[in-house]
Amino acid sequence: MANNRKPNPDDRSDNVEKLQSMVHNTLENIEAAEETMGFSSPEEKAKIQAKNERRKQALEGFREEIKDEAANRQQGK
């Protein structure tokens, strides 16, 4: 049976907006997790802190991608 499906074209037109939304959501998750730490055991606090550190690293990556995508958008004009 032949595969007649064609791949979707690479539409990067809204990548900056999607990444900005991801940054916003991640920041909200960090804040919510920090609020939760007030009611958590020491073990849970350590897990939350570790997860928030990973989230902060992800934020750095998102921001770099936003810069790249914005630069790519400018070159495309």
Side-chain angles (χ1 to χ4, degrees):
M1 183 184 258
N3 184 357
N4 293 331
R5 288 186 271 163
K6 296 180 181 177
N8 292 334
D10 185 18
D11 180 13
R12 300 171 70 145
S13 62
D14 61 349
N15 281 5
V16 171
E17 290 78 11
K18 287 179 182 176
L19 287 163
Q20 287 172 335
S21 176
M22 291 167 67
V23 166
H24 178 75
N25 291 339
T26 302
L27 288 170
E28 286 183 344
N29 288 339
I30 289 172
E31 288 178 21
E34 287 175 350
E35 290 174 9
T36 302
M37 285 182 10
F39 309 103
S40 302
S41 69
E43 182 180 318
E44 290 173 329
K45 284 182 185 180
K47 289 179 182 179
I48 292 169
Q49 287 172 333
K51 187 162 191 171
N52 276 351
E53 281 306 309
R54 292 191 300 273
R55 287 177 172 141
K56 289 174 184 176
Q57 291 172 355
L59 284 173
E60 291 175 25
F62 292 153
R63 289 180 174 135
E64 286 301 315
E65 282 190 62
I66 289 170
K67 289 177 192 174
D68 292 345
E69 289 294 330
N72 189 331
R73 187 182 282 184
Q74 290 297 323
Q75 290 175 356
K77 287 186 174 182

